[in-house]
């Protein structure tokens, strides 16, 4: 094992060196690369490194320690980390000594940066100048002697300025490191000089051999020509065309030349011949011939188009491209309120870039829309993505690509600003887009590129369906066989799921490159209401039942030996009503976790938090090692200053007030702080000994954290919604009950409410409902009897049987893992999935109807056409408006009965349903007041009092 580790580290070191030389060769070197180049000249260079070393000979290398003087603070920190990497991998004593000295210099540079921030640049520079004047120019031996003197002075016990001498001693160590590095640099210079001389000697010998070979070939050709003239040569000689004066260029009359040209030196034939002979004499008398560097011959090409022409062509091509069926133009720019001018306005005139954008819309077939709409009567379209094409043909600095960023506005969660910045001479521009999570997969259409002056940013929004990543090998093991990509994709489709991505190809590619990687993953898209499929345990369990490999599992409660009186209890105090009033808990006994099942357990909690729990707003889950805490437990709500404990991942105790500040800088927790921050009391869970278990919905305590060695797990769930509380408790408990000593058993707990009532949680009772074969057949077009429908429902993890009282009725037992079963139509859908959507018969409707417009709609259309043909513009404002717009701004009083009010409006702009069309028309005129008069607008639409078809 030790040999293998040593070889692995040696391989990593060699890769680091090779990467350094490649970056140097490609003119993108970092600071660490120049330092690594020094070591190639300190140690003997092998023949394999000769090609890379030639690149290094063209680079001037100063003393290694001077490199930190030209770096930014961020680059110095990066250099520090890179040196640490080399120190960890190096085995050569010489190289270790070099990197150790460079680490001393780098740490000193970091200390000087900190001192500059702390004391100011002027004060720090003054202190550094005094020390530099004292130590500069001293040899290594002199510095060693000075070090001994300072150490003796510090150890003497004399009344001295200890801080000064200790600081001087630290700086002296830095100067000792620099002195050693100067010694290294001298070796580098000598070896580089020797290699340069060897390189020149080799080139001279090669050139001499080429010259002698060329002379020999010329001599052989001359002898052959004089000795054996061929008949063809004689004929050619006879056919040589006689010289004519027109073959030579015309002579120039010196009188036609300008005065400056007459003053130029004229080379005669004798002078030119004498110069040639002198050059030949010089070549014959030397062994070194400098090889001239010839400029590459460039073919005369047609004039390349300018960036402006390319950008114009791209703009026209984009503008002429037809819109897709679900695309619309999106060229509405937002106004940017700049408080300061661009720092380049004195050199360039700011101007707006051209752009051609598109918005992608479509239908969102969620559960609600599937129930209330169909393809003939589709739901409203929603924004699903954007395509931005911004053109910057005249960008001054073409080495820097334009950038974009998202700006969130306080109080507006619906939309954000997408800001594009490029630099001179272009102004920043912004567009308002829907505030949703982006899909960054190229397979999903993401594109971010800057080519030929055009910035293209294309993206779609993530679909609401969550994605679960399953270990491919683990899933095959659970299913009992391996599947090809097509087979598994088909299986998921039949079950109503979709394979989003298989990472096998990416993993194999990384392995070929020798890079570390995880095992192949299968990313599966899950319907948003199937919470039982949010982990590999639930997916494999459902697929095995669907394939007929297993029967649906039976979940049950396992009471302790003492019965209900021996249950763990949690008492809820009345103060919790102010913050999170609902509580539930459960216990998983004798759990055996592996590393993957443990990660899956944590991942399921996160998936539930992001899905049904609405980012912990409605429900929060906590898991604890039951062996580290003692029942009974208490669920309380206390002022934040009275709560103090060590949170997960920290050894120090904090009050709840302090935690609000600590976690502001941690992105994964900062998003949850507003849930309870402004509350006078925070929820908190204690055990018998006043040990804190968790402070929901923010963090658990370090004391009760679970690990791979945890055997008994206590699950607490707090909520503001009791229905979601029950669903989450059942899902988290049942999914991982398969790891208990007795699979699919959960130990319940007793919850005591403030009014004294008690409740046993979790509630794993199977819910009884019914379906009818006739209803299933009418919806699917099948001809199935009740027993056949029951068998189909069994494949979907439901327990079903034919009713003894009605041959058409099926009695269904809905398990606690299927809260998505709400109505008989859900059972019908499951039966259709089990039968196979692709197998359902295609039939024409028994009746056909022709739609007709309402009389009021026909009248409204007539009025629209007449006013539009008369030159008026139709306005289409929103039917919702603010209370002020509907009453105060129109000098009307609100009697409390006229307007329909929105119960919980998102913004002040949408508070009531308009009672008049006038305010919408006035707002339209206000936004278009820059247009020339007269502005003639009208609207024909509905209001809350009735239909108004007269233009205003």
């Amino acid at each position: 094992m030790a040999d293998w580790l040593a070889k692995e580290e040696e391989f990593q070191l060699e890769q680091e060196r090779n990467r350094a030389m490649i970056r140097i060769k490609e003119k993108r070197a970092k600071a660490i690369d120049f330092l690594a180049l020094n070591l190639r000249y300190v140690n003997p260079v092998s023949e394999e490194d000769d090609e890379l070393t030639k690149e290094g000979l063209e680079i001037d290398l100063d003393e290694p320690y001077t490199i930190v003087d030209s770096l930014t603070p961020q680059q110095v920190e990066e250099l520090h980390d890179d040196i640490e990497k080399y120190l960890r991998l190096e085995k050569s004593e010489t190289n270790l000594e070099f990197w150790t000295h460079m680490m001393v210099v780098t740490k000193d540079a970091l200390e000087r940066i900190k001192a500059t921030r702390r004391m100011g640049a002027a004060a720090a520079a003054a202190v550094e100048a005094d020390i530099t004047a004292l130590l500069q120019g001293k040899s290594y031996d002199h510095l060693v002697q000075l070090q001994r003197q300072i150490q003796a002075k510090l150890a003497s016990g004399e009344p001295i300025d200890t801080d000064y001498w200790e600081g001087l001693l630290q700086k002296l160590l830095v100067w000792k490191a620099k002195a050693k590095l100067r010694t290294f640099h001298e070796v580098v210079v000598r070896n580089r000089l020797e290699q340069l001389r060897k390189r020149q000697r080799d080139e001279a010998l090669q050139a001499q051999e080429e010259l002698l070979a060329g002379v020999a070939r010329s001599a052989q050709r001359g002898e052959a020509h004089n000795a054996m003239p061929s008949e063809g040569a004689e004929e050619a000689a006879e056919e040589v065309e006689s010289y004519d004066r027109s073959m030579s260029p015309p002579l120039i009359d010196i009188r036609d030349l300008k005065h400056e040209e007459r003053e130029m030196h004229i080379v005669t034939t004798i002078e030119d011949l004498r110069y040639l002979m002198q050059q030949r004499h010089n070549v014959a008398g030397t062994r070194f011939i400098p090889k001239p560097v010839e400029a590459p011959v460039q073919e005369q090409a047609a004039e390349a188009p300018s960036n402006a022409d390319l950008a114009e062509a791209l703009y026209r091509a984009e503008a002429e491209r037809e819109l897709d069926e679900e695309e619309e133009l999106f060229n509405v720019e937002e106004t940017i309120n700049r408080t300061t001018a661009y720092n380049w306005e004195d050199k360039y005139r700011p101007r707006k870039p051209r752009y051609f954008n598109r918005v992608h819309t479509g239908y969102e077939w969620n559960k609600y829309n599937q129930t209330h709409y169909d393809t003939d009567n589709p739901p409203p379209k929603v924004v699903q993505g954007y395509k931005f094409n911004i053109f910057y043909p005249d960008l001054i600095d073409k080495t820097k690509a334009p950038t974009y960023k998202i700006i969130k506005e306080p109080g507006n969660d619906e939309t954000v600003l997408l800001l594009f910045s490029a630099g001179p001479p272009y102004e920043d521009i912004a567009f308002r887009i829907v505030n949703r999570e982006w899909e960054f997969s190229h397979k999903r259409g993401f594109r971010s590129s800057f080519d030929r002056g055009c910035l293209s940013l294309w993206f779609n929004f993530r679909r609401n369906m969550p994605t679960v990543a399953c270990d491919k090998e683990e899933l095959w093991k659970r299913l009992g066989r391996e599947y090809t990509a097509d087979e598994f994709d088909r299986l998921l489709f039949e079950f109503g799921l979709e394979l989003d991505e298989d990472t096998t190809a990416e993993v194999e590619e990384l392995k070929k490159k020798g890079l570390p990687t995880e095992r192949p993953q299968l990313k599966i898209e899950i319907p948003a209401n199937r919470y039982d499929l949010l982990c590999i345990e639930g997916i494999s369990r459902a697929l095995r039942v669907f394939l007929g490999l297993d029967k649906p599992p039976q979940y049950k409660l396992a009471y302790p030996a003492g019965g209900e009186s021996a249950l763990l209890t949690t008492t809820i105090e009345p103060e919790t009503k102010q913050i999170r009033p609902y509580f539930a808990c459960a216990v998983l006994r004798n759990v055996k976790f592996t590393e993957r099942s443990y990660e899956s357990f944590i991942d399921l909690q996160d998936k539930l938090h992001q899905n049904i729990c609405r980012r912990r707003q409605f429900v929060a889950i906590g898991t604890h090692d039951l062996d580290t805490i003692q029942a009974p437990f208490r669920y309380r709500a206390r002022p934040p200053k009275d709560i103090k404990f060590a949170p997960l991942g920290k050894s120090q105790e904090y009050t709840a007030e302090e935690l609000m500040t600590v976690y502001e800088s941690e992105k994964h927790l900062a998003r949850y702080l507003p849930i309870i921050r402004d509350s006078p009391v925070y929820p908190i869970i204690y055990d018998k000994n006043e040990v804190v278990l968790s402070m929901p919905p923010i963090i658990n305590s370090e004391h009760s954290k679970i690990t791979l060695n945890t055997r008994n797990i206590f699950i607490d769930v707090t909520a503001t919604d009791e229905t979601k509380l029950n669903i989450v408790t059942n899902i988290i408990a049942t999914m991982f009950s398969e790891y208990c000593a007795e699979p699919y058993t959960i130990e319940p707990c007793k919850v005591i409410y403030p009014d004294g009532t008690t409740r046993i949680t979790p509630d794993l009772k199977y819910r009884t409902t019914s379906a009818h074969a006739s209803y299933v057949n009418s919806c699917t077009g099948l001809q199935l009897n009740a027993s056949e429908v029951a068998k189909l429902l069994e494949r979907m993890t439901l327990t079903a049987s034919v009713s003894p009282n009605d041959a058409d009725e099926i009695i269904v037992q809905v398990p606690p893992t299927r809260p998505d079963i709400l109505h008989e139509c859900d059972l019908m859908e499951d039966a259709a999935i089990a039968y196979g959507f692709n197998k359902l018969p295609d039939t024409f409707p028994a009746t056909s109807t022709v739609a007709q417009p309402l009389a009021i709609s026909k009248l409204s259309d007539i009025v629209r056409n007449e006013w539009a043909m008369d030159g008026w513009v139709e306005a289409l404002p929103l039917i919702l408006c603010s209370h002020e717009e509907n009453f105060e701004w129109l000098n009307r009083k609100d009697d409390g009965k006229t307007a329909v009010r929105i119960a919980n409006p998102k913004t002040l702009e949408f508070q009531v349903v308009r009672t008049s069309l006038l305010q919408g028309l006035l707002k339209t005129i206000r936004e278009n007041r820059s247009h020339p008069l007269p502005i003639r607008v009208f609207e024909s639409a509905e209001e809350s009092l009735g239909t108004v078809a007269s233009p205003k």
Side-chain angles (χ1 to χ4, degrees), residues 370-430:
Q370 290 178 22
T371 305
H372 295 83
Y373 298 96
D374 54 34
T375 53
D376 295 329
N377 180 30
K381 282 189 174 183
V382 296
V383 175
Q384 296 183 340
Y386 295 91
K387 291 182 179 180
F388 290 95
N389 300 282
I390 320 294
F391 298 88
Y392 300 100
D394 301 322
L395 202 59
I396 300 301
D397 188 358
K398 294 181 173 57
T399 61
K400 294 181 180 179
T403 60
Y404 63 88
K405 65 178 179 180
I406 293 176
I407 301 176
K408 294 186 177 180
E409 299 172 312
N412 184 4
D413 296 331
E414 300 295 327
T415 62
V416 293
L417 290 179
L418 182 60
L419 179 71
F420 292 90
S421 303
Y426 292 103
E427 298 179 12
D428 297 346
I429 59 172

Side-chain angles (χ1 to χ4, degrees), residues 784-804:
L784 303 176
N785 58 42
S787 61
E788 291 173 328
V789 174
K791 290 179 181 179
L792 293 176
L793 294 177
E794 289 276 353
R795 296 182 62 192
M796 302 303 291
T797 66
L798 303 171
T799 303
S801 60
V802 180
S803 172

Side-chain angles (χ1 to χ4, degrees), residues 394-529:
D394 301 322
L395 202 59
I396 300 301
D397 188 358
K398 294 181 173 57
T399 61
K400 294 181 180 179
T403 60
Y404 63 88
K405 65 178 179 180
I406 293 176
I407 301 176
K408 294 186 177 180
E409 299 172 312
N412 184 4
D413 296 331
E414 300 295 327
T415 62
V416 293
L417 290 179
L418 182 60
L419 179 71
F420 292 90
S421 303
Y426 292 103
E427 298 179 12
D428 297 346
I429 59 172
F431 301 91
R432 186 172 298 279
I433 64 173
V434 177
N435 184 17
R436 285 177 59 188
E437 190 176 1
W438 294 12
E439 177 66 72
F440 290 99
S441 171
H442 291 283
K443 295 180 180 178
R444 300 290 184 186
F446 180 78
R447 176 179 176 183
S448 178
S449 64
F450 181 62
D451 183 31
R452 293 177 291 180
C454 176
L455 173 65
S456 297
L457 177 62
W458 299 2
F459 59 88
N460 291 315
F461 293 127
R462 281 189 182 275
R463 289 184 279 186
N464 290 332
M465 296 171 65
T467 302
V468 177
C470 299
D471 185 275
K472 188 175 183 178
E473 184 177 336
E474 177 70 16
L475 186 57
W476 290 168
K477 180 180 177 182
R478 287 173 174 270
L479 295 179
R481 57 158 292 193
E482 294 185 0
Y483 291 84
T484 65
D486 291 338
E487 288 175 342
F488 190 64
D489 195 11
R490 193 180 308 113
L491 171 62
L492 290 180
F493 179 79
E494 290 174 355
F495 187 65
L497 306 180
E498 183 178 350
L499 180 62
D500 182 51
E501 186 178 2
D502 182 354
T503 65
T504 303
E506 298 175 9
V507 171
E508 293 299 328
E509 188 68 26
L510 291 174
K511 284 183 178 179
K512 289 180 182 178
K513 296 179 181 179
L515 299 175
T517 180
E518 60 182 5
R519 302 207 307 183
Q521 303 282 311
L522 295 171
K523 298 182 179 180
I524 304 172
E525 283 193 350
I526 307 297
N529 62 342

Side-chain angles (χ1 to χ4, degrees), residues 117-137:
R117 293 171 178 171
R118 184 176 63 253
M119 303 165 51
V127 174
E128 189 67 25
D130 293 340
I131 296 175
T132 302
L134 180 63
L135 301 177
Q136 192 173 23

Side-chain angles (χ1 to χ4, degrees), residues 68 71-81 106 109-110 113:
V68 298
L71 301 180
T72 63
Q74 292 80 7
Q75 290 172 334
V76 175
E77 292 178 359
E78 183 182 1
L79 178 61
H80 178 275
D81 296 339
T106 306
L110 289 173
I113 292 170

